[in-house]
Amino acid sequence: MADKDEYQEKKADAPVKKDGSEFEPTMIGFFCNWCTATAADLAGTTRLQYPANIHPIRVMCSGTVDPVYVLRAWLSGADGVIVGGCPPGDCHYISGNLKARRRMHVLKTILKTLGLEDDRIWVRWISAAEGRKFAETMREFTRAIKDKGPSPVKDYWSI
Amino acid sequence: MRTGIFVAKGKRAPGVLVIGAGIAGIKAALELAEFGVRVYLCDHKPYIGGTLSQLDRWFPDNHCGMCKVLPVFDRDRSSQYCLRQGLIHPDIEILPLTEVEKVEGEAGDFRVTLSTKSSWVKPELCTGCGLCAQVCPVEVDSEFNQGLEKQKAIHSRHPLALPRTYTIDQEHCTQCGACVDACPTGAIDLASTDEIRDVAAGAIILATGFEEFDPLSASQYGYKRYPNVITSIELERLLSKSGPSGGKLVRPSDGQVPRSVAFLQCVGSRDLKRNYCSSACCMYALKEAMMIKEAEPETNVAVFFMDLRAFGKGYHRYYEQARRELGVQFTRARIPVVKQDFKTEDLLLTTVAEDGKTITSRFDLVVLSVGQTPSPRFREISEVLGLTTNQWGFGNTEALSPVVTSREGIFACGSAAGPKDIADTLVEAEAAAGKAVALVKPAKQRSVETEPEEDEEPKIAVFVCNCQGQIADAVDTKGLLEFSKGLAGVVHAEEAGHLCQPEVWSAIPDSLKKSGANRLVVAACSALRPGILSLDVPVELVNIREELAWVHQGNSQAAAEKGKSQIAMAVEKLGRPGKRPSRSEEITTRAVIVGGGLGGLVAALSLAEYGLEVELVEKSAKLGGNLTHIHSLLEGGDPQGYLHHLVEKVNAEPLIHVWIETELVECQGYAGNFQCTLRDGDSAQHDIEAGAIIIAAGGVESRPAEYLYGQAEPVITQRELDERLAGGALNAQDLKCVVMIQCVGSRDEERPYCSRVCCSQALKNALALKRQNPDIDIVVFYRDLMSYGFKEEYYTQAREAGVLFVRYEVDRKPTVTLDGEMLKVQAADLVLGGDIIVEPDLVVLSPAIVPNGSGGLAHIFGIELTEDGFFKEAESKFRPVDTLKEGIFVCGLAHSPRGVSETIAQAQAAAQQTAWLLSRARLAPSRLISQVNERRCSGCELCIAACPYDARFKDSEKGVVVVRPALCQGCGACVVACPNAAASLTELEDRQIFSMMDVVL
């Protein structure tokens, strides 16, 4: 299990760089047009601060986020991926977020059984009124990924 | 040739004025605008959204779903984002702070004088930056958060609202002028004056809604004297994530989480001054109780009520869920007075329990479920419009002509015509819009054939707004500009001071022309979202204000890097545009209505008014359905005369083809193109093509299985009593004592729903008996008396007439026995203890209303039923007559139990929805839809299952899946479902996503 050891080792030494500066992760966020993207706007108008590490991509519905997008982001070197959608039951397209929930659950389960870190992928339901929750989630996610350190995947596989 | 409602092309139809921009006004305005009618949507407040904008979630499913009122077909021209952000439609002119001064003329040709109060802030110049609020020295109570927090006299009411215009509380503003100096765009002018303007309106819709009852005038509750007594709407704000406490429930006096909360029902309703039921309070109290239980499971929640009026569709199940699953306690008592423990500021409520003992309980928080009252200006508006108000000050409409007021051409919907909940409000809004459309006769829909877009090389222009420092202070916009210039595909980049200012914005098309750009990236703020709808070129908005400059302050380097990558991602996205779909579909402009009862007849006549052809299919040999058995109404009116008139009109209408003794046996196809098969009495089959279908299959009174019905002759149903009284088969003079038993087969384990009409029927019949013979003893055994809305007055009248109302519990039902010829009814007396024994001449039962063969129809149409067997609507509040299958609508008892007046309104709403679909000759696709790469499609049909809109089918000849562009909503569910990447979205293909990600990774 040499591979696995190497993987564990990479995980352990990451958070603080040699020069003492904090590791700045690069993350991708897929946010649904109706709820989470509106919450992002609300966070802005109420001037709630959060780190700039997450690069948002607005999609019409969280149900359009293909697990392939998440995997691709991850394999391309994203340290984390977050999918934000309407709270279950609120989807503008009736059931898109429920589909997203299942898909992401399956994806995370598969990653876990392969011994990969499923906690670099977050799925959160943030409604249009929850600007505060949006900013808090962005802060928490960035903090969590900073604590985990750089994704080992980008160095681990040559892709 | 008959042109129906449509006037010849070229002649512009008059507009429609909608007064009140709450959800009723918004819905009515959208319905009209979709018909191409010019709408003036005015409100005396500076914002739209009404009461609804202060609520986060709604009963009976505890979800938000406001966005579902937005148009599904005209998506390219209207706002496609959360309704809390606002409403944009090219045919709707929103007029805030505007009131009606004068109305002249008549139906079809009103001249209305509108007076717009100066807001002192010019909306076209305000950028929403908030510098004014920073310098404003005056603090006022926040109206949006119900005074639970402070805000400046100049403020933005809701931080999401678009346009992002600030408003001034003119009552408290000291006119110090600090904001005028602070405003970078000169948008504030404290000397600006009111404006008067005249508009031509063919019809007027009154949708002024309600005001919450102000409990200050009911001093026994201690509101505002005791800090921990709050109103239900204040609780909504406390529970809201955008509220003053961020969604954490705390009590006002000490900021602690309350461990016990009491709801007091009927505050400002069902009393001497306001003898009506506000219809919605029981349900919103249940919702709030459930939200408290969800947030704080340890907190005890008690509801003190008189009758729990959960009479709507799915409401009784909701009540049971609150009671059984969440442990909300329900106590039947009207609390006379609230007292406070001055040491702890806890509240003390004293009740008399059913065993006669007095109990005082202590609560941390008391919530007053305040009722609906007419808005204080309603009387004035009514006078201006020449309308009368009823004794409680609400609008006057008749039971057999809902939404129609006393003046022709003016329609009232929602709570303006009587207190109601959102679901009923939206039904009326659709019905009122339908009436207005029929009156103004809009021009036939514009040609909707879209030109296929040429595959031209993308040339992108980038506009970067620095917002005069609002953005530039946090992010180096010069750097963004230089960066943009260097991106592949960018032919032009420029910086603007305030991109949103009219003169800057209007210069964009010229600039594009000069540079030869055919794509546009706007790096600015979300306030431009409405603006980009008006541009013809593909636009990508990068929000560098709300999502960058304002949220990454103090880290300008990281913000600048993120800004660059955001612009580069937008350029990547636009650099690989998909082709615009051009296929549009012909539709059949004919509707099939299943069921020739009241709903079907009203819907058919409404559709004929729009000039649409109708096939009206009735199973039995006679039109009229249940209405043939109804001879009187609680509110008065002549239902038989009305029915006779309806049937005559339907038979005389050449556009309506009536099929009696005929059933619909098969239905294929989709919205715009259904193929139906009818089978008539001789078993002959007829194929009919239709663009839309209305299910008005009705319901039936169930046959009671208890209380000796069918065994003893004097045990009859309310409907039988009504018929016998009307037909003279029964003479009230011959009766000494009558017992009525409510909820026979309703609200029990088998049918956990309220049949809604039975209490009204019992009141109607009891009053009729009493009128004919005041000496009759009438005893009504009931569980909760559902005399909602203005029916409450009749409940009072019945009690005044001496009708005895005796409550029973579902587990201790009355018993009916036959002792020789003598009937004996025995029931527990819940008040005094012991048993009540009555020996009546007649026992009248109120049996449940059950759906009429809904299972078979649901199977034929492939649509869902509720657990109770009624047809399920797409969204219980915001799309109340649409089923989940596009193009199929439902109304009347097939939808849920409802009265005559409510059925008429719902049938009109269903007709309006149908006409809206059929009035366009073609269904054109929107820009953003899904498409199929036929080379990759293996025909596995996974996408068909994933599509929630029935927008995909398999072409069996080619073996591939085909998209119905007009039905596709562009959600992208199919994209993920497809294992071969054959499905993709036109404006956001996989490769676009990948190249966007490659920018940052």
Side-chain angles (χ1 to χ4, degrees):
Chain A
M1 293 292 285
D3 291 0
K4 174 115 190 213
D5 291 342
E6 194 188 333
Y7 180 71
Q8 296 292 357
E9 208 175 290
K10 276 187 190 299
K11 264 203 322 195
D13 65 5
V16 179
K17 282 186 189 166
K18 283 188 184 113
D19 61 359
S21 67
E22 203 180 21
F23 154 64
E24 290 295 340
T26 306
M27 287 113 93
I28 297 281
F30 291 102
F31 300 139
C32 105
N33 171 64
W34 299 90
C35 278
T36 310
T38 312
D41 190 32
L42 181 58
T45 50
T46 37
R47 313 290 207 277
L48 300 171
Q49 302 299 307
Y50 57 87
N53 303 64
I54 298 165
H55 297 268
I57 295 178
R58 185 189 286 252
V59 289
M60 287 312 278
C61 178
S62 56
T64 194
V65 180
D66 199 319
V68 171
Y69 300 169
V70 179
L71 279 176
R72 165 98 182 217
W74 199 44
L75 295 179
S76 305
D79 297 298
V81 179
I82 183 164
V83 178
C86 305
D90 291 13
C91 179
H92 180 75
Y93 304 106
I94 304 162
S95 57
N97 52 359
L98 303 181
K99 290 172 187 148
R101 182 166 71 180
R102 288 195 180 179
R103 285 182 188 127
M104 293 305 145
H105 184 74
V106 170
L107 175 66
K108 288 172 72 135
T109 309
I110 292 172
L111 290 178
K112 211 171 181 175
T113 44
L114 294 176
L116 302 173
E117 299 165 301
D118 64 320
D119 52 357
R120 287 185 187 273
I121 297 164
W122 282 26
V123 182
R124 291 292 182 273
W125 313 121
I126 304 172
S127 80
E130 296 177 323
R132 219 176 299 215
K133 183 173 173 188
F134 180 85
E136 271 166 21
T137 307
M138 296 306 116
R139 284 197 294 270
E140 279 169 24
F141 187 44
T142 311
R143 186 71 260 160
I145 299 297
K146 275 188 180 178
D147 289 347
K148 286 185 73 69
S151 167
V153 175
K154 49 184 160 187
D155 304 325
Y156 187 60
W157 280 299
S158 50
I159 339 154
Chain B
M1 195 196 126
R2 190 180 165 138
T3 53
I5 58 160
F6 302 109
V7 294
K9 263 186 191 167
K11 195 177 146 199
R12 180 79 180 172
V16 170
L17 173 71
V18 179
I19 309 172
I23 193 65
I26 288 176
K27 180 69 185 173
L30 271 170
E31 292 285 328
L32 289 159
E34 291 299 294
F35 264 96
V37 178
R38 178 94 189 136
V39 184
Y40 306 97
L41 178 61
C42 77
D43 201 300
H44 73 275
K45 292 186 173 148
Y47 51 85
I48 67 163
T51 309
L52 214 65
S53 62
Q54 285 170 289
L55 317 180
D56 273 12
R57 296 196 265 169
W58 297 282
F59 59 82
D61 52 11
N62 289 0
H63 292 308
C64 181
M66 262 166 136
C67 56
K68 288 173 187 153
V69 304
L70 294 172
V72 291
F73 289 122
D74 267 355
R75 289 181 289 132
D76 291 344
R77 299 164 72 232
S78 56
S79 49
Q80 286 288 303
Y81 39 76
C82 177
L83 200 60
R84 291 173 202 277
Q85 289 196 294
L87 171 73
I88 307 293
H89 193 288
D91 289 325
I92 301 178
E93 188 176 338
I94 296 174
L95 302 164
L97 290 167
T98 300
E99 289 189 84
V100 181
E101 288 274 303
K102 202 167 69 184
V103 177
E104 285 174 331
E106 54 186 34
D109 183 27
F110 289 115
R111 285 175 305 286
V112 186
T113 308
L114 297 173
S115 137
T116 302
K117 205 168 179 323
S118 165
S119 67
W120 297 347
V121 183
K122 293 180 194 135
E124 69 280 10
L125 295 180
C126 177
T127 71
C129 68
L131 289 174
C132 50
Q134 284 173 23
V135 298
C136 177
V138 183
E139 277 207 331
V140 296
D141 283 345
S142 152
E143 175 269 337
F144 182 68
N145 277 327
Q146 293 284 309
L148 295 166
E149 79 185 351
K150 295 281 180 194
Q151 66 188 14
K152 294 297 182 62
I154 185 162
H155 58 268
S156 113
R157 178 186 188 249
H158 189 296
L160 275 177
L162 294 176
R164 209 134 264 179
T165 315
Y166 271 57
T167 46
I168 297 179
D169 180 339
Q170 302 191 351
E171 199 186 321
H172 296 99
C173 174
T174 57
Q175 297 224 342
C176 70
C179 53
V180 179
D181 300 336
C183 182
T185 59
I188 305 170
D189 176 7
L190 298 178
S192 64
T193 51
D194 299 359
E195 267 175 45
I196 302 281
R197 86 181 253 208
D198 286 341
V199 296
I204 298 173
I205 293 178
L206 194 56
T208 45
F210 67 92
E211 295 267 320
E212 301 105 43
F213 169 72
D214 180 5
L216 271 181
S217 58
S219 57
Q220 69 270 33
Y221 299 116
Y223 179 66
K224 292 280 183 202
R225 270 189 299 141
Y226 309 147
N228 296 325
V229 176
I230 61 172
T231 65
S232 44
I233 191 96
E234 286 169 7
L235 180 68
E236 292 276 355
R237 295 315 304 150
L238 280 176
L239 288 169
S240 169
K241 292 287 191 317
S242 61
S245 56
K248 188 163 175 60
L249 177 64
V250 290
R251 61 179 204 160
S253 70
D254 52 11
Q256 297 294 308
V257 176
R259 285 292 160 230
S260 53
V261 180
F263 283 86
L264 310 191
Q265 297 305 106
C266 297
V267 174
S269 306
R270 300 185 72 187
D271 57 22
L272 285 175
K273 269 193 205 151
R274 283 161 297 270
N275 193 23
Y276 57 83
C277 163
S278 291
S279 301
C281 331
C282 282
M283 291 308 294
Y284 75 58
L286 283 178
K287 176 197 73 179
E288 290 174 2
M290 286 164 93
M291 284 166 76
I292 293 174
K293 274 286 188 186
E294 265 171 38
E296 305 288 344
E298 299 299 306
T299 296
N300 282 321
V301 183
V303 179
F304 293 91
F305 68 104
M306 297 200 288
D307 290 285
L308 208 293
R309 291 186 174 163
F311 55 84
K313 189 177 187 178
Y315 293 1
H316 187 74
R317 281 178 188 274
Y318 191 69
Y319 168 41
E320 290 292 309
Q321 189 191 348
R323 199 166 65 91
R324 294 192 184 170
E325 290 170 27
L326 293 169
V328 177
Q329 292 160 19
F330 290 88
T331 309
R332 209 175 280 268
R334 186 163 198 161
I335 303 293
V337 64
V338 177
K339 290 179 181 163
Q340 184 181 244
D341 175 340
F342 279 86
K343 218 169 181 180
T344 57
E345 297 187 291
D346 292 348
L347 301 152
L348 304 169
L349 302 182
T350 304
T351 48
V352 180
E354 292 195 312
D355 58 7
K357 280 190 187 139
T358 308
I359 309 167
T360 298
S361 7
R362 181 178 283 269
F363 289 93
D364 289 350
L365 188 69
V366 164
V367 182
L368 306 178
S369 293
V370 288
Q372 301 185 7
T373 59
S375 98
R377 320 166 96 89
F378 189 72
R379 198 172 292 271
E380 272 170 59
I381 300 170
S382 300
E383 271 168 27
V384 170
L385 296 178
L387 301 177
T388 53
T389 53
N390 72 7
Q391 56 180 324
W392 319 118
F394 286 95
N396 258 333
T397 53
E398 300 287 325
L400 291 173
S401 53
V403 312
V404 175
T405 69
S406 51
R407 184 166 176 188
E408 207 195 332
I410 302 183
F411 309 101
C413 62
S415 289
K420 45 185 77 69
D421 66 10
I422 304 169
D424 288 344
T425 293
L426 288 199
V427 167
E428 285 197 358
E430 290 179 6
K435 289 272 175 195
V437 167
L439 197 61
V440 299
K441 303 191 190 306
K444 191 129 186 158
Q445 286 282 318
R446 66 203 168 278
S447 165
V448 281
E449 194 72 48
T450 47
E451 298 289 317
E453 232 155 65
E454 279 173 39
D455 221 0
E456 49 188 3
E457 192 196 337
K459 290 177 191 152
I460 302 165
V462 181
F463 283 78
V464 180
C465 180
N466 61 34
C467 203
Q468 299 287 19
Q470 282 296 315
I471 294 171
D473 287 353
V475 188
D476 172 20
T477 43
K478 291 269 179 300
L480 290 184
L481 189 70
E482 288 312 311
F483 173 78
S484 307
K485 281 179 182 163
L487 290 169
V490 174
V491 294
H492 176 74
E494 76 178 70
E495 189 176 355
H498 274 133
L499 207 49
C500 57
Q501 298 301 293
E503 73 274 14
V504 186
W505 187 252
S506 58
I508 287 181
D510 273 349
S511 179
L512 290 180
K513 210 177 270 173
K514 255 184 232 162
S515 56
N518 53 15
R519 308 268 187 276
L520 177 65
V521 172
V522 176
C525 65
S526 48
L528 285 175
R529 294 191 81 182
I532 59 173
L533 279 175
S534 63
L535 297 171
D536 300 333
V537 293
V539 192
E540 196 55 31
L541 179 71
V542 179
N543 189 348
I544 57 169
R545 192 171 76 165
E546 283 86 351
E547 289 178 38
L548 195 74
W550 283 357
V551 289
H552 306 316
Q553 285 161 353
N555 192 354
S556 53
Q557 202 191 334
E561 287 310 311
K562 183 174 165 184
K564 283 178 190 168
S565 59
Q566 288 285 295
I567 292 177
M569 282 160 92
V571 168
E572 277 298 328
K573 188 177 167 188
L574 284 180
R576 298 177 171 217
K579 274 186 215 162
R580 183 184 181 148
S582 59
R583 219 153 63 91
S584 60
E585 291 179 44
E586 296 275 351
I587 62 173
T588 315
T589 56
R590 181 188 300 125
V592 164
I593 299 178
V594 184
L598 174 62
L601 291 171
V602 171
L605 280 175
S606 307
L607 285 173
E609 257 185 76
Y610 292 97
L612 296 165
E613 219 181 313
V614 180
E615 307 292 332
L616 181 62
V617 185
E618 168 59 39
K619 203 159 60 171
S620 73
K622 198 177 157 200
L623 294 175
N626 284 307
L627 192 60
T628 52
H629 305 290
I630 300 174
H631 297 271
S632 60
L633 294 176
L634 182 60
E635 294 88 350
D638 171 19
Q640 285 307 309
Y642 175 77
L643 176 62
H644 183 71
H645 183 61
L646 267 188
V647 174
E648 255 182 11
K649 267 169 80 181
V650 164
N651 285 331
E653 174 57 64
L655 284 170
I656 302 175
H657 311 133
V658 180
W659 300 79
I660 51 164
E661 293 185 308
T662 303
E663 282 187 79
L664 189 146
V665 289
E666 211 186 318
C667 177
Q668 302 283 331
Y670 49 92
N673 295 291
F674 288 109
Q675 292 90 41
C676 303
T677 308
L678 308 181
R679 189 167 56 209
D680 66 18
D682 306 325
S683 293
Q685 305 237 349
H686 305 270
D687 291 331
I688 300 258
E689 293 202 337
I693 291 163
I694 297 178
I695 302 174
V700 288
E701 195 182 77
S702 65
R703 205 183 136 80
E706 43 191 341
Y707 302 120
L708 298 181
Y709 182 79
Q711 296 168 37
E713 206 179 307
V715 180
I716 59 173
T717 65
Q718 292 286 358
R719 180 203 268 185
E720 287 163 356
L721 175 61
D722 184 30
E723 285 196 301
R724 286 185 197 187
L725 283 174
L730 189 74
N731 189 347
Q733 307 298 336
D734 304 337
L735 298 171
K736 283 200 185 71
C737 177
V738 174
V739 159
M740 296 183 177
I741 302 175
Q742 299 303 102
C743 292
V744 179
S746 299
R747 301 174 72 211
D748 57 13
E749 292 290 336
E750 192 196 335
R751 294 193 196 96
Y753 63 86
C754 168
S755 293
R756 188 162 174 158
V757 297
C758 346
C759 283
S760 306
Q761 269 184 324
L763 288 174
K764 172 185 86 177
N765 287 338
L767 282 168
L769 287 171
K770 276 285 186 186
R771 263 195 297 273
Q772 289 178 23
N773 178 7
D775 296 329
I776 304 188
D777 290 323
I778 303 177
V779 186
V780 181
F781 291 98
Y782 75 104
R783 285 169 56 199
D784 288 280
L785 211 102
M786 303 294 181
S787 54
Y788 56 92
F790 299 135
K791 299 183 200 297
E792 182 68 17
E793 174 65 19
Y794 299 98
Y795 180 26
T796 309
Q797 280 177 18
R799 281 177 294 161
E800 282 168 354
V803 178
L804 278 179
F805 288 86
V806 180
R807 202 172 60 77
Y808 72 89
E809 294 283 356
V810 67
D811 48 2
R812 292 161 76 190
K813 287 184 177 178
T815 53
V816 179
T817 48
L818 197 59
D819 186 4
E821 285 290 292
M822 201 63 207
L823 275 173
K824 196 169 94 177
V825 181
Q826 186 165 357
D829 184 335
L830 299 174
V831 180
L832 300 172
D835 274 356
I836 298 174
I837 298 170
V838 193
E839 295 184 335
D841 307 321
L842 204 58
V843 171
V844 189
L845 306 181
S846 291
I849 300 216
V850 292
N852 187 9
S854 58
L857 283 173
H859 182 73
I860 291 171
F861 294 122
I863 54 181
E864 267 182 82
L865 296 177
T866 65
E867 289 150 299
D868 301 320
F870 294 98
F871 285 93
K872 197 170 182 175
E873 63 276 54
E875 216 279 344
S876 62
K877 293 208 156 338
F878 299 99
R879 293 179 66 195
V881 296
D882 305 49
T883 65
L884 276 169
K885 194 163 166 144
E886 219 62 69
I888 301 185
F889 307 96
V890 61
C891 68
L893 296 184
H895 174 283
S896 60
R898 55 194 50 244
V900 169
S901 182
E902 293 150 343
T903 298
I904 296 173
Q906 210 181 23
Q908 288 168 348
Q912 158 69 14
Q913 295 302 307
T914 307
W916 172 62
L917 178 71
L918 300 186
S919 63
R920 41 198 76 205
R922 288 163 175 278
L923 289 177
S926 292
R927 256 188 236 142
L928 175 69
I929 58 165
S930 82
Q931 54 196 5
V932 177
N933 181 339
E934 292 186 357
R935 291 210 317 268
R936 284 187 171 179
C937 178
S938 66
C940 71
E941 300 184 36
L942 283 174
C943 56
I944 297 179
C947 179
Y949 297 102
D950 207 19
R952 290 179 158 247
F953 67 96
K954 190 168 171 182
D955 181 335
S956 43
E957 273 176 33
K958 278 187 177 171
V960 295
V961 170
V962 181
V963 179
R964 293 166 181 150
L967 290 187
C968 176
Q969 298 291 302
C971 70
C974 50
V975 176
V976 196
C978 181
N980 299 336
S984 62
L985 289 174
T986 46
E987 290 191 343
L988 200 60
E989 293 185 20
D990 291 353
R991 56 198 177 117
Q992 281 168 290
I993 297 249
F994 293 155
S995 56
M996 283 164 82
M997 291 196 300
D998 289 344
V999 168
V1000 284
L1001 298 174

